Amino acid sequence: MRYLPLSDRDRAGMLAVIGAADIDALFADVPAAARLAGPVDLPLAAGELEVERALSALAAQNRAAGAGPFFCGAGAYRHHVPASVDHLIQRSEFLTSYTPYQPEIAQGTLQVLFEFQTQVGALLGLPVANASMYDGSTACAEAVMMAARVTRRGKAILSGGLHPQYAAATHTLAHSAGVETCRLATAIDAEDAVVAAIDADTACVVVQTPNVFGSATDVSFIAQAAHAAGALLIVVVTEAVSLGLLKSPGEMGADIAVAEGQSIGNGLNFGGPYVGLFACREALVRQAPGRLCGETVDAEGRRGFVLTLSTREQHIRRDKATSNICTNSGLCALAFSIHLSLLGGVGLARLARLNHARARALRAALTAIPGVEALTPRMFNEFAVRLPTSAAPLVEALAGRGVIAGVPISRLDPGGGLDDVLLVCATETTTAADIDALAGALAEELAR
Amino acid sequence: MRYLPLSDRDRAGMLAVIGAADIDALFADVPAAARLAGPVDLPLAAGELEVERALSALAAQNRAAGAGPFFCGAGAYRHHVPASVDHLIQRSEFLTSYTPYQPEIAQGTLQVLFEFQTQVGALLGLPVANASMYDGSTACAEAVMMAARVTRRGKAILSGGLHPQYAAATHTLAHSAGVETCRLATAIDAEDAVVAAIDADTACVVVQTPNVFGSATDVSFIAQAAHAAGALLIVVVTEAVSLGLLKSPGEMGADIAVAEGQSIGNGLNFGGPYVGLFACREALVRQAPGRLCGETVDAEGRRGFVLTLSTREQHIRRDKATSNICTNSGLCALAFSIHLSLLGGVGLARLARLNHARARALRAALTAIPGVEALTPRMFNEFAVRLPTSAAPLVEALAGRGVIAGVPISRLDPGGGLDDVLLVCATETTTAADIDALAGALAEELAR
Amino acid sequence: MSVVSIGRATRPHTEPAVADPHPGRGLLQDEPLIFELDAWEKTGVDFPPEELGEAPDGSDLAGLTRAEPLALPGLSEPEVMRHYVRLSQKNHAIDLALYPLGSCTMKHNPRLNEKLARLPGFADLHPLQPVSTAQGALALMDTLAHWLKTLTGMPAVALSPKAGAHGELCGLLAIRAAHEARGDARRTVLVPTSAHGTNPATATHVGYQVEEIAQTADGHVDIADLAARLNEDVAAVMVTNPNTCGLFERDVIEIARLTHAAGAYFYCDGANFNAIVGRVRPGDLGVDAMHINLHKTFSTPHGGGGPGAGPVVFSAALAPHAPVPWITHGEGGFALVEHAEGEAAGALGRRCAFHGQMGMYVRALAYMMSHGADGLRQVAEDAVLNANYVKARLSGVMTAAYPDGPCMHEALFDDRWLEGSGVTTLDFAKAMIDAGFHPMTMYFPLVVHGAMLIEPTETESRRELDRFCDTLLELAAAVRAGDTERFTGAPFHAPLRRLDETAAARKPRLRWTG
Amino acid sequence: MSVVSIGRATRPHTEPAVADPHPGRGLLQDEPLIFELDAWEKTGVDFPPEELGEAPDGSDLAGLTRAEPLALPGLSEPEVMRHYVRLSQKNHAIDLALYPLGSCTMKHNPRLNEKLARLPGFADLHPLQPVSTAQGALALMDTLAHWLKTLTGMPAVALSPKAGAHGELCGLLAIRAAHEARGDARRTVLVPTSAHGTNPATATHVGYQVEEIAQTADGHVDIADLAARLNEDVAAVMVTNPNTCGLFERDVIEIARLTHAAGAYFYCDGANFNAIVGRVRPGDLGVDAMHINLHKTFSTPHGGGGPGAGPVVFSAALAPHAPVPWITHGEGGFALVEHAEGEAAGALGRRCAFHGQMGMYVRALAYMMSHGADGLRQVAEDAVLNANYVKARLSGVMTAAYPDGPCMHEALFDDRWLEGSGVTTLDFAKAMIDAGFHPMTMYFPLVVHGAMLIEPTETESRRELDRFCDTLLELAAAVRAGDTERFTGAPFHAPLRRLDETAAARKPRLRWTG
Ligand SMILES: Cc1ncc(COP(=O)(O)O)c(C=O)c1O
Ligand SMILES: Cc1ncc(COP(=O)(O)O)c(C=O)c1O
């Protein structure tokens, strides 16, 4: 077996050193009833060529986003990732290392985390960022838990523009810990509705911008309302590229900001692994979940980096920890950080403008089709359209024609009464030809 | 421009340090008539996404070997290369280093070369191997030049089983230096014909095994005949995998052995880059072309490796050098060495057996078709078949049906009178389904 | 300046007055932060210039754009390559040498798996594109689920948890849902003292109270203590098996029986499944829920901290409460159940957006298929063999925490043998760095004083194990010889000397500020 | 033990009695040869067991198989990863720091190019599959040819040569063919003393005699000497431009005129094309043939010694003699001319099997398209700017070989400034290693005493150039200060100390023998 270095001769020699008669002797503690006599009922070992063939065949049964016109967004975005990013994250020293528990031989990972935290802080406009969460949705859930701890209050108000799966993930976790979530009705442009819902038990208000329908909102007024009521504002961003252009959560008064970082440096991967960004105000840091990397010096006074404030964490604090997170999304954070260090502020702004320009072109093409109406105000790179028919079957029909048209909102929110609403998204990877293909196919399908 | 670190501000500052008015001042030596005023007539800079799209579109116009049934060989072989090989050769420290001129900071490359030379020596059965040539064909040409130097004779006899393009490349180089090449008539199984051609001016005899028709020969008797006449025997191997099973050139009395190493560790790449293997008897080492890596010690007595015997080479010996080669095929040699260090003797023998078994299955399937006759005796993984029709148009027709059937020998040797002969090859990548597909399509085409 | 012998004893040398290597000398490059490279106005990504003119006009984003342009450095690609390649060389990695972090299962990460996870059919697939266009992905998840269920002998699995700790949450939420479905509002979870920190943290995170179960002197759950603590308020017993002392819980079937008898569920932390995969099925032990860290047993790379994946297998009792999404198979191929309603109303809900860690699933399945049923069994055997070999070779000098009987996949030592030497577990670990090895897990589990938990994994050759043991024995001899400085000052040969963690925590500097 | 200050002057330190780092300490691992890893009986590649039984039977390979099984070690994949990753860390690389090897053009290698070269449509394509199934590959080669011809202003190009030296052979063979076609049997090639070794080696390798052309005191071809040597026996003049002293041959048009007037051809060694790409077309200078090292100007990676690619552009006079294969375009798409007969009868023949270095073509074209006509011009300008900057910063202390006027892409220094210091060019170079840089090209070109040829390339930032210059100036100050030991003993901080090359050559050990 190509991954197992021991030869049978090695095994025999080692058993002799141990003083065990055979390998079974080492499993003596296993109750006899639970010892399997032979291999379980699964295929036997396979060569690399065979495995590659089998899994490549499965991959070939999927229609890769890049294989043709493609317009899905809704929390996961297809952007171009420079080849150098994927090359670098495959360096053995990054790929095959563990959490940097021994800082003297993990300065590579640690310096990257320090840089990542600084980048995320700048992006989200808040002074403290952690070393990553699993993804945007779990970061959102943890932010709500944190707000409840900070405020010692028991309710979270979720805006109707919050990604429904974020809302669901947040509800599941918060509910179990006794934090009530109050999700407002799904709405394309009603972020202001949260203000009225704030009450004295409100720990936090959770608002997404651009929201799940693609609409951006200046949430400063919500920050004011929340703060006036002693609640925190949590701002959620699912399209990190928008932050190249749009006001940061911090700029608008967020106490905690969480974002899905997938858009930068990471592929679609059918939904994971992604990377959750988490930032907050300085005063809240000791309630923050996740790892934090900090600057320090070595015995000779040279700058170095370590994991710090770990008294918040499970491995030190155990049942008093701020979160149970351990493994996070390190390599995705590295990819994010590399891509962003290529882009810089200048490049991210250009990328954001390009995305916006392509989305405008897409909107112009789609709304030229009779019966198709754009619903999203203040759109960045994604918007909802109302169709003269149900969106889900139409998307299926278009897929049959080689065009992946977008996400029917009913997929995320089946009971929301928006069956005729389709979410479409354009990025720098969307070409004029792609847009023509969608517009053409859509017009034809609608005309049938 | 993403690959150019200087900003305009940098440029201005640097010109000031230099004391030059502008960049043109630095090109003052260029005759005015030859100074281009602006960019040449080619497209302007393009982003990574645009370049990727353009070249991917070209790639998509090619029918990749792995995309379906595929049976070409004739000097280039489709084998499975473990993923770890391609991963390792992309390590920055291997990929982006130069020839190891500073051994103290090139021990990685140098130790690999020392291991490579040892592996190649073992494979070819000769004590001295160099650090690689461009490919098998140029290695063959250089071997003939070397034999002429060693023997101070002016004629090389090329067997009729030598790959025609190897013969052509050898002829072109040797001819210019006044070494006559005498290529015997193309023949599927007439290696023994070289014996009669040896005369007093014969510097060397060049024999390929398995030959271009796939037929293996024990060339010991040719070695004896050559040596008796004071000539050298050069053995050529184009399918390195065969050496896992077959007698090595050294074992059969070769003085020099050259091989194409592509089969191990390297992809098809439409013909290049490949890696030439070159080995010879100890006594001939000072006439060998190319780089040699040798063992030595450092100032503290620790083992280390350096390039050595460079007094043979162009950079020291200039017009007296044994060859003009400078850049060789280092990274392909690394890939070869890694793959072979995974395989080992045990694995290479198994791989060779598997190749042979698949080729036997292919032969059985094809010769079951009426009118198809196998011509190659002592076949390893490749053989010639005679068809009841001209091979080239048939191969085109089969390509139209998605099957790449093999190489018509007329492609290599248009005047050879073998228009109805097709070379087919099977390796470990050939499946039973592939064989069925070829046999089925061939039978149908022939029945038309 | 003290004269000591270091590394393999053949080449004693004089200890330099200052440590080496120094970044900035020889091949080890010094590298500033990206913020110190004077790249605020540049970018290393090119865009088609013609479209950039089109600034957002008033109609869309008026008043929503940043007041100040985002200030982040943008490096050219050559600078980026240098930066990260230089940094990378300051890391230890499994590809460099044995990485004996107990409980972390740092094993070889096959490169085939990296390649397959990058096939466009997996990597460039959107989670919300029509499922009819992602049948291969669902088939892969279904196959992975089959392997996991078969290997554990459990009837159901939730793939979506994103790491072990996320899986623990999932397991406890399912347990809570099961109790709630019966109207049973239990509040306590029992956890042994030796448990990993995530176990108690998880329990409180979902609103349970944690009560500790005592441990026997020989490193096992104290059954009597467990029995005494079990009552109708106990929702679950959370036990790690093989446990964090590297031992198989001999009485696991009894633990399950007692737990069930009290109306509680048995959660097993499966982080150490590597020791038993293919030889023992947790389903045969009475487990109700167990997470499997794909990044441990099934070798998806740790990536300096993640990502991982933590699928949870469930017993029949808990299966109806598994979270969405899950896969069904019908006439039209594979489908996804994405909402906890209708037929899925028993589900505990949703744990994250989308469907989990697809990239990890591809890698894990490739790993499983490569080994096969026979190879996975061999994995467990070799992992256990390697650990026992290390234990046997070191026990003469270091004090094994549980010397009697075999260990499973990791060998646990305590610091009794260091007593009075002036060298702590930490010092010893840092000296290992000088000798070219990553330290073992230290001071965990908490039940053992100055714990040193060594998990070699099955992907180490006997040669590397010997090199490791020889080094530790040589270091131990140096301890005995009173070479204290070599330990208390260590590391001397890492890119940096020992780092001041206290200073870091006292006045946290968590980002670059210029 | 001397106390010196090293590296950036801020952190003086004590020189250790022995060198550091030592492989086997800290992160730098010691690694034996693969033959020393006890892996003779193993293999790291798995095959379907069922088919292996089928040993070759008598009918095919009887008597042809090895007497003894092939004795080569086969390592498991984890062992292989360790081996090569450990070894790799003992290399310098362009990804680690400036690599100022003059004449080698060690520039950044974009990773996009690596990715594209690996697309199955290019990488998994057989050279002899029907051309109808490889139209994209031929289109790519045709496009590359178009770029090369346009950039050089030459009407034809032979893509197939496998490196610069192989291109030189190709050029001289075309020249020979052209002469032969006229029945003109010339025997001499004129080459300047400053030429790269491959130039004279090439000329004699194809049967010419080499005569040297003198060089002027200011680093140019001595036109008078050239004129004097030109006669009807001269087949070609081979001149490098920009030349190996880093200077543009001011009189190049006159050189071409004189050459042509004597009935000879003008071969230009284009290894230094990077300095002028986009600003000067060799076709405008009267060149008849020039090779282009794609691995220099067009950034295909050097890979520790290769592979490269050396396409040769030809003037109209030589174009008919270009070697096969070449590409034609007609009704049915692209086709290949593969045989030197019929319409191709004038061809010099064939230089290698198949069609050349496709893998390099993809990379080079991606590089060209990325830069575009504007970016390539900027490449030349930045390369020249960077070299002049280094020259300007160092000239105060080191002696520039040709101080007057600008240089092109490389700055040449001699060793006059080291005279009497006890430090040689070699010593100085080895001390650079300690300071984290790869040495420059040394003792070449031969026309300059103790030459130090520095080529920074355009992919260095000003910051890295300053770091480099600061380091060299600091080292030069140490030379002046009489710190001889720091140089003669160098390197101290590389994985190994200075290696004994004489011993290696005296009794060559070219393979492991156990
Ligand atoms: C015993 C044990 N349980 C749980 C965990 C947590 O797993 P993860 O890091 O995947 O969240 C770990 C990880 O180290 C562990 O060792
Ligand atoms: C001036 C010059 N000519 C020719 C060559 C030979 O090129 P190659 O190494 O590609 O064969 C070189 C390579 O260093 C060179 O610098």
Side-chain angles (χ1 to χ4, degrees), chain D residues 289-512:
Chain D
M290 181 180 95
H291 74 261
I292 299 163
N293 312 59
L294 297 187
H295 45 298
K296 301 186 187 214
T297 306
F298 299 113
S299 97
T300 72
H302 281 92
V312 178
V313 286
F314 287 115
S315 64
L318 293 182
H321 306 293
V324 292
W326 65 72
I327 293 169
T328 59
H329 193 245
E331 298 280 286
F334 293 100
L336 271 171
V337 176
E338 295 186 275
H339 299 277
E341 51 192 33
E343 31 149 26
L348 65 87
R350 168 176 281 280
R351 305 295 329 293
C352 59
F354 314 128
H355 331 303
Q357 306 287 73
M358 184 66 181
M360 305 295 117
Y361 304 158
V362 180
R363 291 171 173 90
L365 184 61
Y367 175 90
M368 290 177 180
M369 290 173 64
S370 293
H371 284 84
D374 48 344
L376 289 172
R377 194 177 161 92
Q378 190 72 57
V379 161
E381 293 179 2
D382 284 359
V384 169
L385 180 64
N386 278 357
N388 278 284
Y389 182 72
V390 168
K391 186 178 172 198
R393 285 215 51 202
L394 299 183
S395 283
V397 176
M398 293 164 60
T399 43
Y402 304 106
D404 302 333
C407 61
M408 295 301 288
H409 61 298
E410 49 197 2
L412 180 59
F413 296 90
D414 58 28
D415 64 358
R416 281 175 291 153
W417 65 286
L418 288 175
E419 241 174 62
S421 69
V423 174
T424 63
T425 291
L426 180 71
D427 296 332
F428 189 75
K430 297 293 182 192
M432 285 171 65
I433 292 176
D434 283 335
F437 287 103
H438 195 282
M440 62 287 273
T441 290
M442 289 177 287
Y443 303 107
F444 174 82
L446 307 179
V447 291
V448 160
H449 199 272
M452 307 184 198
L453 186 64
I454 301 178
E455 180 179 8
T457 86
E458 74 283 2
T459 60
E460 295 303 327
S461 66
R462 181 173 181 180
R463 197 179 168 281
E464 184 81 356
L465 294 174
D466 280 332
R467 215 171 67 85
F468 176 73
C469 292
D470 292 346
T471 301
L472 263 62
L473 293 174
E474 195 273 331
L475 285 174
V479 172
R480 303 243 149 135
D483 239 347
T484 320
E485 231 179 290
R486 176 168 165 195
F487 298 88
T488 54
F492 293 96
H493 303 299
L496 289 182
R497 295 287 301 278
R498 212 179 285 194
L499 285 150
D500 191 340
E501 310 207 18
T502 320
R506 205 181 306 119
K507 199 181 169 317
R509 298 167 60 115
L510 306 177
R511 61 173 174 147
W512 179 84

Side-chain angles (χ1 to χ4, degrees), chain B residues 1-54:
Chain B
M1 210 287 135
R2 60 191 180 276
Y3 303 136
L4 299 176
L6 297 186
S7 66
D8 281 340
R9 193 144 52 92
D10 291 331
R11 290 181 184 113
M14 291 165 71
L15 282 170
V17 171
I18 295 165
D22 56 22
I23 189 72
D24 289 338
L26 302 181
F27 287 85
D29 280 345
V30 177
R35 291 183 205 156
L36 295 175
V40 295
D41 184 22
L42 287 167
L44 299 183
E48 184 169 315
L49 178 57
E50 287 69 38
V51 175
E52 182 163 349
R53 215 173 247 148

Side-chain angles (χ1 to χ4, degrees), chain A residues 91-94 104-109, chain B residues 91-94, chain C residues 21 23 25-30 81-93 96 494-495, chain D residues 26-28 85-93 95-97:
Chain A
R91 293 261 317 159
S92 290
E93 298 90 331
F94 287 130
E104 296 86 359
I105 47 173
Q107 284 299 302
T109 294
Chain B
R91 293 262 317 160
S92 289
E93 298 89 333
F94 287 131
Chain C
R25 290 198 330 211
L27 288 175
L28 195 68
Q29 303 286 332
D30 210 359
M81 289 303 298
R82 290 253 170 91
H83 184 70
Y84 292 98
V85 171
R86 287 172 177 178
L87 289 187
S88 75
Q89 290 199 347
K90 292 170 189 161
N91 275 359
H92 186 84
L96 277 172
Chain D
L27 288 175
L28 195 68
V85 171
R86 288 172 176 176
L87 289 186
S88 76
Q89 291 199 346
K90 291 169 189 162
N91 275 358
H92 186 84
D95 282 354
L96 277 172

Side-chain angles (χ1 to χ4, degrees), chain C residues 9-138:
Chain C
T10 44
R11 229 162 37 217
H13 72 276
T14 305
E15 202 56 62
V18 294
D20 60 80
H22 264 270
R25 290 198 330 211
L27 288 175
L28 195 68
Q29 303 286 332
D30 210 359
E31 183 64 10
L33 294 163
I34 49 172
F35 312 103
E36 296 163 340
L37 294 173
D38 190 25
W40 299 98
E41 295 157 24
K42 303 196 299 186
T43 177
V45 182
D46 298 325
F47 297 103
E50 62 284 4
E51 283 181 86
L52 292 177
E54 272 202 49
D57 73 11
S59 59
D60 276 308
L61 297 172
L64 290 166
T65 54
R66 282 179 182 268
E68 299 280 318
L70 179 62
L72 282 175
L75 303 167
S76 66
E77 185 175 301
E79 294 169 285
V80 156
M81 289 303 298
R82 290 253 170 91
H83 184 70
Y84 292 98
V85 171
R86 287 172 177 178
L87 289 187
S88 75
Q89 290 199 347
K90 292 170 189 161
N91 275 359
H92 186 84
I94 187 71
D95 282 354
L96 277 172
L98 193 141
Y99 206 142
L101 269 182
S103 211
C104 299
T105 317
M106 291 299 288
K107 59 165 74 172
H108 172 63
N109 304 132
R111 287 320 189 275
L112 170 66
N113 308 356
E114 293 306 305
K115 181 177 175 184
L116 295 176
R118 285 168 171 81
L119 290 174
F122 298 132
D124 190 25
L125 203 63
H126 193 284
L128 299 176
Q129 69 185 68
V131 292
S132 62
T133 66
Q135 288 293 302
L138 298 184

Side-chain angles (χ1 to χ4, degrees), chain B residues 1-6 11 14 23-24 27 29 34 36-38 40 42-46 52 55 58 62-66 70 73 76 78 86 90-98 102-109 111 114-115 117-118 123 127 134-135 137 142 145 165 169 172 176 218 243 245-247 251 268-270 272-273 294-300 302-303 306 308 314 318-319 324 327-328 331 341-345 347 353 358 360 363 378 396 411-412 414, chain D residues 19 22 31-34 36 43-44 51-52 57 60 63-67 70 72-75 83-84 87-88 90-95 99 104 106 109-111 115 118 121 123-129 132-134 136-137 147 162 165 169 173 176 195 197-198 201-202 204-206 250 275 279 301-307 338-339 350 352-354 356-359 369-374 377-378 382 386 430 442 458-459 497-500 504-505 509-512:
Chain B
M1 210 287 135
R2 60 191 180 276
Y3 303 136
L4 299 176
L6 297 186
R11 290 181 184 113
M14 291 165 71
I23 189 72
D24 289 338
F27 287 85
D29 280 345
L36 295 175
V40 295
L42 287 167
L44 299 183
E52 182 163 349
L55 293 194
L58 286 182
N62 302 318
R63 197 284 210 178
F70 182 86
R78 180 163 199 269
D86 195 47
Q90 289 190 71
R91 293 262 317 160
S92 289
E93 298 89 333
F94 287 131
L95 184 74
T96 76
S97 58
Y98 201 74
Q102 297 293 329
E104 296 86 358
I105 47 173
Q107 284 299 302
T109 295
Q111 182 167 334
F114 190 77
E115 293 173 349
Q117 290 175 181
T118 306
L123 210 55
Y134 303 133
D135 71 356
S137 68
E142 290 287 348
M145 299 289 274
Q165 296 189 338
T172 302
S176 75
D218 185 335
L243 293 166
L245 199 55
L246 300 184
K247 281 185 187 164
E251 203 175 342
L268 289 171
N269 287 316
F270 202 51
E295 183 182 323
T296 187
V297 290
D298 80 349
E300 291 177 27
R302 294 178 294 181
R303 178 169 72 183
V306 293
T308 192
Q314 48 76 25
R318 302 179 68 85
D319 56 334
N324 76 335
T327 291
N328 57 19
L331 202 71
S341 74
L342 280 164
L343 284 163
R353 274 156 62 192
R358 299 270 163 103
R360 288 169 62 99
R363 186 175 58 191
R378 304 180 307 280
E396 280 297 338
R411 169 115 185 232
L412 297 172
Chain D
H22 265 270
E31 183 64 11
L33 294 163
I34 49 172
E36 296 163 341
T43 177
E51 284 180 82
L52 292 177
D57 73 13
D60 275 308
L64 290 167
T65 54
R66 284 180 181 267
L70 179 62
L72 282 174
L75 303 167
H83 184 72
Y84 292 98
L87 289 186
S88 76
K90 291 169 189 162
N91 275 358
H92 186 84
I94 188 71
D95 282 354
Y99 206 142
C104 298
M106 291 299 289
N109 305 132
R111 287 317 189 278
K115 180 177 173 186
R118 285 169 171 80
D124 190 24
L125 202 64
H126 193 283
L128 300 176
Q129 69 185 67
S132 61
T133 65
W147 280 76
K162 294 194 162 257
L169 286 172
L173 288 170
R176 174 188 288 278
T198 50
T202 300
T204 50
H205 212 49
V206 294
R250 279 184 227 116
R279 285 200 59 117
H302 281 92
E338 295 186 275
H339 299 277
R350 168 176 281 280
C352 59
F354 314 128
Q357 306 287 73
M358 184 66 181
M369 290 173 64
S370 293
H371 284 84
D374 48 344
R377 194 177 161 92
Q378 190 72 57
D382 284 359
N386 278 357
K430 297 293 182 192
M442 289 177 287
E458 74 283 2
T459 60
R497 295 287 301 278
R498 212 179 285 194
L499 285 150
D500 191 340
R509 298 167 60 115
L510 306 177
R511 61 173 174 147
W512 179 84

Side-chain angles (χ1 to χ4, degrees), chain A residues 39-411:
Chain A
V40 294
D41 184 21
L42 287 167
L44 298 185
E48 183 169 317
L49 177 58
E50 286 71 36
V51 175
E52 182 163 349
R53 216 172 247 147
L55 293 194
S56 299
L58 286 182
Q61 289 169 32
N62 303 318
R63 196 288 209 171
F70 182 86
F71 301 89
C72 294
Y77 300 90
R78 180 165 198 267
H79 291 288
H80 176 75
V81 179
S84 51
V85 174
D86 194 46
H87 176 86
L88 284 166
I89 69 167
Q90 290 188 69
R91 293 261 317 159
S92 290
E93 298 90 331
F94 287 130
L95 184 75
T96 75
S97 58
Y98 201 74
T99 304
Y101 288 142
Q102 297 294 329
E104 296 86 359
I105 47 173
Q107 284 299 302
T109 294
L110 285 161
Q111 181 167 335
V112 166
L113 290 180
F114 190 76
E115 293 173 349
F116 170 81
Q117 290 175 180
T118 306
Q119 288 172 316
V120 171
L123 210 56
L124 296 177
L126 284 163
V128 175
N130 77 8
S132 86
M133 306 295 285
Y134 304 134
D135 70 357
S137 67
T138 56
C140 178
E142 290 287 350
V144 166
M145 300 286 275
M146 170 171 162
R149 280 196 304 277
V150 168
T151 60
R152 295 169 199 270
R153 294 181 177 183
K155 193 164 94 186
I157 297 167
L158 313 184
S159 149
L162 179 65
H163 193 293
Q165 295 189 337
Y166 280 49
T170 301
H171 169 77
T172 302
L173 184 66
H175 172 76
S176 74
V179 178
E180 184 192 342
T181 55
C182 161
R183 180 166 193 263
L184 305 189
T186 302
I188 292 174
D189 184 23
E191 267 59 43
D192 52 359
V194 296
V195 172
I198 299 174
D199 65 15
D201 191 37
T202 300
C204 61
V205 176
V206 182
V207 185
Q208 177 178 332
T209 175
N211 70 14
V212 71
F213 297 96
S215 179
T217 295
D218 185 336
V219 298
S220 309
F221 71 99
I222 304 176
Q224 282 161 17
H227 294 162
L232 304 186
L233 172 64
I234 298 172
V235 171
V236 175
V237 179
T238 61
E239 171 47 299
V241 167
S242 69
L243 293 166
L245 199 55
L246 301 182
K247 281 185 188 164
S248 71
E251 203 174 342
M252 298 186 289
D255 300 284
I256 305 175
V258 298
E260 174 52 65
Q262 171 268 327
S263 277
I264 300 180
N266 288 275
L268 289 171
N269 287 317
F270 203 52
Y274 287 176
V275 49
L277 313 183
F278 189 104
C280 64
R281 288 195 287 110
E282 192 115 36
L284 306 180
V285 60
R286 281 172 205 269
Q287 286 298 336
R291 294 194 190 110
L292 291 165
C293 170
E295 185 182 322
T296 187
V297 289
D298 81 348
E300 291 178 25
R302 294 178 295 181
R303 178 170 72 184
F305 305 94
V306 293
L307 294 181
T308 192
L309 298 184
S310 37
T311 47
R312 300 163 302 110
E313 288 182 78
Q314 48 75 25
H315 63 284
I316 306 289
R317 202 48 163 269
R318 302 179 69 83
D319 57 334
K320 307 280 182 314
T322 57
S323 160
N324 77 334
I325 192 168
C326 178
T327 291
N328 57 19
S329 206
L331 202 72
C332 302
L334 173 65
F336 176 96
S337 192
I338 298 172
H339 191 181
L340 193 49
S341 74
L342 279 164
L343 284 163
V346 171
L348 190 67
R350 285 189 196 156
L351 177 60
R353 274 156 61 191
L354 190 56
N355 270 256
H356 184 60
R358 298 271 164 100
R360 287 170 63 97
L362 175 63
R363 185 175 58 189
L366 296 188
T367 52
I369 300 169
V372 177
E373 180 196 354
L375 303 176
T376 301
R378 303 182 307 281
M379 168 268 287
F380 169 62
N381 71 349
E382 185 171 26
F383 56 96
V385 288
R386 170 155 292 131
L387 302 168
T389 177
S390 189
L394 188 68
V395 165
E396 279 296 340
L398 290 169
R401 303 172 65 128
V403 176
I404 308 290
V407 180
I409 194 74
S410 62
R411 168 111 186 236

